Amino acid sequence: MSHKIYPVPEDWKKTARIDDARYRALYERSVKDPKGFWGEQALRIDWISPFTKVKHTSFDTHNVSIRWFEDGTTNVAMNCVDRHLPERAHRTAIIWEGDDPSVSRHITYGELHEAVCRFANVLKKHGVKKGDRVTIYLPMIPEAAFAMLACARIGAVHSVVFGGFSPDALAGRIEDAQSEVIVTADEGLRGGKKIPLKANVDAALDKTPAKTVIVVTRTGAEIDMQPGRDFRYEEEAARVHADCPYAEMDAEDPLFILYTSGSTGKPKGALHTTGGYLVYASLTHELVFDYRDGDVYWCTADVGWVTGHSYIIYGPLANGATTLMFEGVPNYPSVSRFWEIVDKHKVNIFYTAPTAIRALMAAGDAPVKKTSRASLRLLGSVGEPINPEAWEWYHRVVGEGRCPIVDTWWQTETGGALITPLPGATDLKPGSATRPFFGVVPEIIDPLGNVLEGACEGLLVIADSWPGQMRTVFGDHERFAQTYFTAYPGKYFTGDGARRDADGDYWITGRVDDVINVSGHRLGTAEVESALVAHERVSEAAVVGYPHDIKGQGIYAYVTLNAGVTPSEHLRKELAHWVRHEIGPIATPDVVQFAPGLPKTRSGKIMRRILRKIAEGEFGALGDTSTLADPSVVEELVRERAGK
Ligand code: ATP
Ligand code: MG
């Protein structure tokens, strides 16, 4: 655990719209009077018919029900597009940066309006109605945004499936959502490689048929088109009207379904609704990223993840922002790509994931330093606990010490950031997500459900609802209640562990399943991993527990070395000593296995569930591996482990 504190920089203090005192006062109000607080905040979006009821929520295990602004009506696309037209028709809504560095596009709010309307009319022409589910399986191209907003415009419910998923994973999600219309592209393009999206859809539909496939042209590749089922988007769009009225939606009408990334098991279809979600995405986008009119804002996530939904599309566009959408990957054509894009488009706010930061850090400082990055003002992180070492590097090298980092803790289920610094108000601690956002009531409990006070460590639960919360697991409300509200009745169980320090700051210690019990001492895997990553030769580490005769659980560490470092017995010992020295004898790894690569989800999260099985030697019981980015990594680890 790092003890360093980075106070709010002086220039940020001067211009902060929320400083520390205001944060404390507003936070207090938001949790004492949630109806008053959220009733006011909800006016940041436009309503068609105003709400009179603000909050109507119950976390009671037998009657879980979450409703916000329930008698109001609005439309998300109207809020993200139409209402900006009087002032922003000619301003850029989306900067699209292609995989090829010479290709980019600016789309104004006016152009966005027409594109969304045309897409909406195409969907309507193919029979899509309010409440119908549309599966979107697209690469990171503007049409992904058009399609999502088109669904919102007519009241259809989108289910975006990440373009990197296999036909099997896609079929499972189409089936679960029961969608009859699929939107895809001929091919995707990432890091110079083509991804056969349409062929994947064809394979998926062999398992679960659908009525209509709309195919956007990206590469112009030759693809099979099934007459009567498959349609070319460009031909369809040319034939429909350029305007489409937006539907009046109830605040609690579904907006989208999104499947969680599957780090812990079978993905769940998180259902988010209209009014509360948009209010929460838009408010957090403005305050967490200190978004100011005219800023260029870039979130590197894929729209297939909730981060892409809330912080590439809905939050920024609801705020009339310029949001950058990047088709490619951080290391193509070179590991300077992110920073070259920052310079090219004069990006002010940059938001990415620890996995990308660690990978770029392993390539050294030079590829960063050869770029200017003078436009950058704020950096963000999301997806996993960020190791203090990676945080420091991000701060010192990428941000040149001048950009605060917002380490935002949240989940698909939460719709937006729940624990996060606010850059003008919060002193930063590398590795800590710091304080709750307005209206969020985190608690740390012990395994029996007792609420712990003061500085403590345990399970993270949220005691009351916030507007961005998921409403149900699509088609399975029982699973929703079971997963989140049963183990600790009356609270939302996050599945994550956390520590609260004496200042009241929160440190996410990882998933609860990832806590190891070594001779009666509870250790968060994140802490041991951070110690390993702090070693100069280590690029990435994943730590799991395994059965140990004496200690109950032993510590098994998978370690990826920096480029050019050769694994050796000597280094193995050195790393074990290093951790012992950094944390204490209790944390000394029992086994260090060098791993050329770690199994990750498509969103870049380490799948410790699989690593646990390998450490236990249970190679036959690896569980659901359909969401793995690269299955060959697992084979390699199993081979190596079996040889031990
Ligand atoms: P599944 O629920 O299917 O296992 P998942 O939890 O990986 O998948 P997401 O909703 O994308 O799916 O990820 C949320 C999780 O990511 C959080 O519960 C937490 O474990 C981790 N996380 C996200 N942001 C942070 C952060 N800033 N610090 C620490 N952990 C984070
Ligand atoms: Mg989860």
Side-chain angles (χ1 to χ4, degrees):
M1 174 168 162
S2 160
H3 297 279
K4 246 183 166 162
I5 294 183
Y6 290 79
V8 176
E10 283 309 316
D11 50 331
W12 277 79
K13 272 193 187 149
K14 278 192 221 119
T15 56
R17 37 159 102 79
I18 308 261
D19 61 11
D20 185 51
R22 190 158 156 71
Y23 166 78
R24 286 172 196 273
L26 264 183
Y27 179 74
E28 179 89 0
R29 155 122 207 271
S30 71
V31 297
K32 288 215 165 117
D33 176 21
K35 290 186 181 165
F37 178 83
W38 287 113
E40 280 164 29
Q41 295 304 325
L43 302 179
R44 62 183 294 111
I45 69 165
D46 288 355
W47 295 84
I48 297 170
S49 163
F51 56 87
T52 62
K53 296 181 196 154
V54 173
K55 179 176 189 280
H56 187 174
T57 63
S58 158
F59 283 4
D60 173 1
T61 314
H62 304 290
N63 177 35
V64 181
S65 163
I66 298 154
R67 280 180 262 162
W68 286 87
F69 318 115
E70 59 186 312
D71 58 346
T73 65
T74 184
N75 181 284
V76 167
M78 174 269 281
N79 272 288
C80 291
V81 186
D82 302 54
R83 69 162 173 164
H84 304 310
L85 293 179
E87 289 193 357
R88 290 192 166 75
H90 301 290
R91 283 173 59 177
T92 303
I94 298 175
I95 300 175
W96 179 71
E97 168 79 10
D99 187 54
D100 174 342
S102 67
V103 178
S104 56
R105 242 179 104 183
H106 283 242
I107 296 150
T108 65
Y109 273 94
E111 291 164 341
L112 181 61
H113 181 259
E114 178 174 339
V116 171
C117 284
R118 283 193 187 273
F119 218 122
N121 282 330
V122 171
L123 294 175
K124 270 178 150 174
K125 191 182 148 216
H126 285 279
V128 177
K129 293 182 303 295
K130 218 182 219 190
D132 290 351
R133 274 81 55 202
V134 173
T135 294
I136 299 176
Y137 182 65
L138 282 174
M140 285 289 284
I141 55 177
E143 285 77 4
F146 306 160
M148 290 163 76
L149 290 162
C151 289
R153 194 163 190 91
I154 62 174
V157 182
H158 59 68
S159 162
V160 182
V161 177
F162 174 51
F165 274 130
S166 65
D168 268 1
L170 173 63
R173 287 160 174 76
I174 292 172
E175 194 170 6
D176 189 84
Q178 300 162 292
S179 50
E180 304 214 307
V181 175
I182 321 294
V183 178
T184 190
D186 48 3
E187 290 181 319
L189 198 56
R190 265 163 73 87
K193 292 194 201 84
K194 291 178 173 165
I195 301 145
L197 296 177
K198 175 60 167 63
N200 286 352
V201 169
D202 292 340
L205 295 190
D206 284 344
K207 305 195 161 159
T208 33
K211 228 170 58 200
T212 306
V213 181
I214 295 168
V215 186
V216 176
T217 304
R218 170 60 189 102
T219 63
E222 224 169 278
I223 49 171
D224 291 336
M225 294 290 283
Q226 188 172 308
R229 187 194 73 178
D230 302 348
F231 299 85
R232 293 273 183 185
Y233 175 68
E234 294 72 19
E235 290 168 15
E236 299 290 295
R239 288 199 205 113
V240 295
H241 217 270
D243 197 9
C244 169
Y246 48 78
E248 179 170 0
M249 305 300 291
D250 287 343
E252 285 300 338
D253 278 336
L255 177 63
F256 65 83
I257 299 166
L258 184 61
Y259 293 86
T260 57
S261 80
S263 317
T264 53
K266 184 176 177 281
K268 302 170 273 286
L271 183 96
H272 283 280
T273 58
T274 299
Y277 170 79
L278 194 66
V279 168
Y280 200 77
S282 135
L283 181 67
T284 48
H285 172 260
E286 179 173 321
L287 298 184
V288 172
F289 300 106
D290 188 53
Y291 173 76
R292 312 257 173 166
D293 196 30
D295 278 343
V296 176
Y297 162 89
W298 179 19
C299 164
T300 71
D302 191 280
V303 288
W305 311 120
V306 73
T307 311
H309 282 57
S310 299
Y311 298 125
I312 296 179
I313 310 291
Y314 291 119
L317 294 178
N319 293 339
T322 298
T323 180
L324 194 149
M325 197 174 174
F326 175 42
E327 185 180 34
V329 296
N331 58 357
Y332 176 83
S334 83
V335 287
S336 293
R337 185 69 193 276
F338 271 1
W339 325 121
E340 284 163 4
I341 295 174
V342 165
D343 288 351
K344 176 174 173 188
H345 299 292
K346 302 282 175 288
V347 172
N348 306 110
I349 303 163
F350 176 79
Y351 187 34
T352 194
T355 180
I357 299 167
R358 289 190 300 258
L360 294 173
M361 183 167 88
D365 299 1
V368 188
K369 288 195 164 149
K370 67 184 248 214
T371 62
S372 155
R373 287 156 290 112
S375 56
L376 284 178
R377 199 175 87 234
L378 181 72
L379 302 171
S381 169
V382 63
E384 286 184 289
I386 178 164
N387 326 94
E389 183 76 5
W391 194 104
E392 297 274 0
W393 182 84
Y394 195 27
H395 188 261
R396 186 183 74 247
V397 181
V398 176
E400 294 184 335
R402 96 185 157 262
C403 306
I405 297 176
V406 287
D407 175 3
T408 60
W409 174 81
W410 60 295
Q411 312 178 299
T412 308
E413 295 89 337
T414 71
L418 292 199
I419 301 183
T420 173
L422 298 185
T426 315
D427 292 344
L428 306 174
K429 296 174 186 171
S432 169
T434 73
R435 305 194 285 200
F437 190 74
F438 302 122
V440 175
V441 192
E443 284 179 357
I444 295 184
I445 59 175
D446 68 16
L448 298 175
N450 302 305
V451 177
L452 307 176
E453 302 291 338
C456 59
E457 184 171 344
L459 315 175
L460 180 63
V461 297
I462 312 289
D464 199 359
S465 184
W466 63 98
Q469 186 170 23
M470 75 185 270
R471 304 307 198 244
T472 192
V473 170
F474 180 70
D476 197 349
H477 198 64
E478 181 54 32
R479 188 173 176 205
F480 181 54
Q482 191 63 42
T483 310
Y484 304 104
F485 303 94
T486 302
Y488 305 100
K491 322 224 151 159
Y492 167 76
F493 177 50
T494 66
D496 285 341
R499 170 171 53 229
R500 187 170 51 221
D501 67 21
D503 301 327
D505 286 323
Y506 289 82
W507 302 70
I508 307 300
T509 49
R511 292 162 204 280
V512 171
D513 315 356
D514 295 335
V515 172
I516 319 179
N517 196 325
V518 185
S519 311
H521 298 268
R522 288 166 55 82
L523 271 173
T525 51
E527 197 171 356
V528 185
E529 287 162 11
S530 287
L532 284 164
V533 173
H535 189 279
E536 58 179 9
R537 301 214 162 140
V538 173
S539 133
E540 206 161 28
V543 167
V544 298
Y546 74 104
H548 189 285
D549 291 345
I550 300 151
K551 304 186 203 175
Q553 274 191 305
I555 299 178
Y556 198 111
Y558 297 86
V559 172
T560 307
L561 299 171
N562 280 334
V565 178
T566 337
S568 69
E569 217 32 59
H570 176 76
L571 183 55
R572 215 190 288 275
K573 291 210 179 88
E574 183 180 318
L575 291 176
H577 271 114
W578 169 264
V579 175
R580 182 188 177 93
H581 177 256
E582 290 284 293
I583 308 178
I586 192 73
T588 315
D590 298 279
V591 183
V592 173
Q593 175 173 339
F594 293 116
L598 294 169
K600 291 188 183 168
T601 63
R602 305 267 173 175
S603 56
K605 293 176 200 220
I606 298 168
M607 279 217 205
R608 291 182 185 72
R609 154 173 80 79
I610 290 179
L611 292 174
R612 265 197 302 272
K613 291 288 179 201
I614 300 176
E616 287 163 8
E618 289 198 34
F619 309 137
L622 297 181
D624 182 0
T625 52
S626 68
T627 58
L628 267 177
D630 177 5
S632 73
V633 165
V634 173
E635 290 154 28
E636 172 89 29
L637 292 177
V638 168
R639 236 192 331 272
E640 164 88 21
R641 170 78 174 85
K644 268 187 194 300

